[in-house]
Amino acid sequence: MKAFSTQFVASEFFVIFLSLLCRRVALCSLLSMTMADKTQKNQGLQLKREIGLIGGVAIVSGSMIGAGIFMSPQYVLAYVGSPGASMLIWVFSGVVALFGALSYIELGTLIPESGGEFTYILRIYGSFPAFFAAITFILLLKPSSIAAKAMTIARYVMAPFYPGCPPPQLAVKCFAAFSILVAAMTNILNVRLALRVQVIFLVAKVFSLTFIVIGGLVKVLQGSTVIEENFDVENAFQGTQFSLNTLGKALLQGLWSYGGWSNLNYVTEELNRPEVNLPRAVLIAISLVTTLYLLVNVSYLTVMTPKELMSSSAVAVTWGNKVLGSWGWVMSVAAALSAFGSLNGTFFSGGRVCFVAAREGHMPDILSMAHVHRLTPSPALIFTTIISLVVLIPGDFQSIVNYFSFTAWFFYAIVLSGLIYLKIKKPDLPRPYKVPIVIPILVLAAAIFLVLAPIIDNPQIEYLYVALFILSGVIVYIPFIHYKLCPGVLDKLTVFLQLFLEVAPADKNL
């Protein structure tokens, strides 16, 4: 009986081994056929157009609403010094985001390819400057955004367990790392799953912000004295700090909360009818978000003095404790869920930058491949996850946002100058959607101010580090991109990872 059992187990292992071997052989054949077909017909796998109007609105507004509105209000107020000035910053930030989005809509319909800033710089200025955009967005900007949003989730989850004091940094970063891994797995598994999560969490976060607005309205009707003090004509602007540095940093914090207005441009090839749905989705999303942001900030100031708001480590929790009493923890959960929706949207778009850059030969080939069954750019998403976890280790929220925003607006300025160039030099190009040239000019002026103001008024060594990081791309570009030198071991590693991850080269979906 024992011999029979041993023989049975051995036969089971043999069957499992054969099945795995057959699967790998079949996969090798599939990958070989895909690559051969790509060579002969210049066509490989393609990411499907799964995003409709609702999905587009969810990606834009879902990415915008999240970390910023729950973390940035205290920093904006701290920089400018008065409630009235902080409200003007929020209004101005919304206008800049709207004008920037309108400009990007024209670019997205003129150049209907995924990749956002990298693709636009590549098509307008060429390969050399596009490479700097690629490494900056892939290695710095998108991972920084992901890390900052994950830290927001962690702070709000832990806020009820540490009343009156900030939670330990180690605990915050461990939970933030867990959030990043969950969002990564969601996006790697299935595009439709990621979109469903985005829509569900958008509904939840709109409900949460609406609840805050209603709560503030109730306090006003009950005769709140705090709002009278905060928005009194004499007190509203008392203590306002006027300097290029404080104004620039306040705007960077406000615009961080509106970050995500360009996220749909990263996935244009997966958007149904982009010439129609891109402008509709962006305009609906930004109108919704700007209205909610202004009303939420008013609601915060109906129950909190400027001092209380600036000293709060989690504004929504402080608001909840004052308005809801013992049920204040509900706002902590709502804020964490809202931030996760934003994190999911950033992952959805951020992985496509890496994917498109690799497809254009600016990153290793393995990052340009998609899963043969799920049709998700899993290698690019895995790479983005790893870099985000690395960025999370040394960073804190405020510094991440400041240097993220500074660098992002530098590349926004380059893209907007490219749009102005196309409108002047190539006005006959087919454009399904056009904006007056004054709009990108105004946003370009704002971008130049946001880049230069902090440096001129209060220069810091960290800005030099960012500049050196961007320029260091020359060391990589010349041998590996321009001269296309490729170590043999990299080819072997690509084949191994291709088989291990079950991925194949993917082409444009135009």
Side-chain angles (χ1 to χ4, degrees), residues 264-504:
L264 205 56
N265 291 73
Y266 297 115
V267 294
T268 308
E269 295 172 29
E270 299 173 65
L271 180 65
N272 287 321
R273 300 174 64 202
E275 70 282 356
V276 175
N277 287 328
L278 181 60
R280 288 181 180 176
V282 169
L283 291 174
I284 292 171
I286 293 182
S287 301
L288 171 67
V289 171
T290 303
T291 302
L292 285 174
Y293 276 10
L294 295 176
L295 293 176
V296 166
N297 274 282
V298 171
S299 181
Y300 286 155
L301 291 168
T302 60
V303 297
M304 284 183 277
T305 64
K307 186 177 180 180
E308 289 174 328
L309 198 150
M310 287 186 288
S311 62
S312 173
S313 60
V315 182
V317 174
T318 304
W319 182 92
N321 291 334
K322 285 182 168 290
V323 176
L324 304 177
S326 60
W327 286 88
W329 60 270
V330 172
M331 292 312 303
S332 179
V333 175
L337 293 175
S338 177
F340 182 81
S342 181
L343 175 64
N344 181 72
T346 303
F347 244 110
F348 190 91
S349 61
R352 270 58 176 182
V353 181
C354 184
F355 169 76
V356 174
R359 191 177 64 186
E360 297 291 340
H362 289 67
M363 293 293 286
D365 289 340
I366 186 64
L367 300 178
S368 68
M369 299 186 186
H371 196 278
V372 293
H373 301 301
R374 300 189 182 98
L375 295 180
T376 58
S378 50
L381 290 167
I382 293 170
F383 183 78
T384 303
T385 303
I386 294 171
I387 301 300
S388 301
L389 293 173
V390 172
V391 171
L392 178 67
I393 295 171
D396 66 271
F397 180 83
Q398 190 172 2
S399 62
I400 285 176
V401 171
N402 284 340
Y403 300 118
F404 163 86
S405 301
F406 162 80
T407 313
W409 280 96
F410 173 77
F411 284 100
Y412 292 157
I414 295 175
V415 171
L416 291 165
S417 64
L419 174 61
I420 295 169
Y421 167 80
L422 291 177
K423 292 178 80 67
I424 295 174
K425 295 294 185 178
K426 300 183 179 181
D428 296 329
L429 288 175
R431 290 175 171 85
Y433 180 89
K434 294 181 182 181
V435 294
I437 194 171
V438 67
I439 289 180
I441 289 175
L442 290 173
V443 184
L444 176 61
I448 293 172
F449 171 78
L450 290 169
V451 172
L452 296 181
I455 299 175
I456 295 173
D457 193 64
N458 185 23
Q460 297 179 24
I461 192 65
E462 286 81 359
Y463 295 117
L464 178 61
Y465 293 157
V466 172
L468 291 175
F469 173 84
I470 296 173
L471 295 175
S472 66
V474 175
I475 302 172
V476 179
Y477 179 84
I478 293 175
F480 300 113
I481 309 300
H482 183 72
Y483 289 105
K484 301 187 183 300
L485 298 179
C486 181
V489 67
L490 189 59
D491 290 333
K492 295 179 181 179
L493 180 61
T494 299
V495 173
F496 169 76
L497 291 175
Q498 189 175 355
L499 294 174
F500 180 75
L501 298 174
E502 301 184 5
V503 295

Side-chain angles (χ1 to χ4, degrees), residues 202-226:
L202 173 62
V203 173
K205 65 181 68 180
V206 169
F207 176 79
S208 301
L209 294 182
T210 304
F211 184 80
I212 293 175
V213 172
I214 294 173
L217 179 61
V218 171
K219 282 293 181 181
V220 171
L221 295 176
Q222 290 176 348
S224 172
T225 58
V226 176

Side-chain angles (χ1 to χ4, degrees), residues 16-28:
I16 294 173
F17 173 76
L18 281 179
S19 63
L20 291 174
L21 181 62
C22 290
R23 183 180 180 184
R24 286 299 173 191
V25 170
L27 180 61
C28 289

Side-chain angles (χ1 to χ4, degrees), residues 33-52:
M33 291 171 61
T34 303
M35 296 181 71
D37 185 65
K38 180 182 176 67
T39 303
Q40 295 174 4
K41 300 182 179 180
N42 195 29
Q43 183 178 5
L45 294 176
Q46 290 183 338
L47 304 184
K48 293 183 179 179
R49 292 190 180 272
E50 303 263 14
I51 306 172

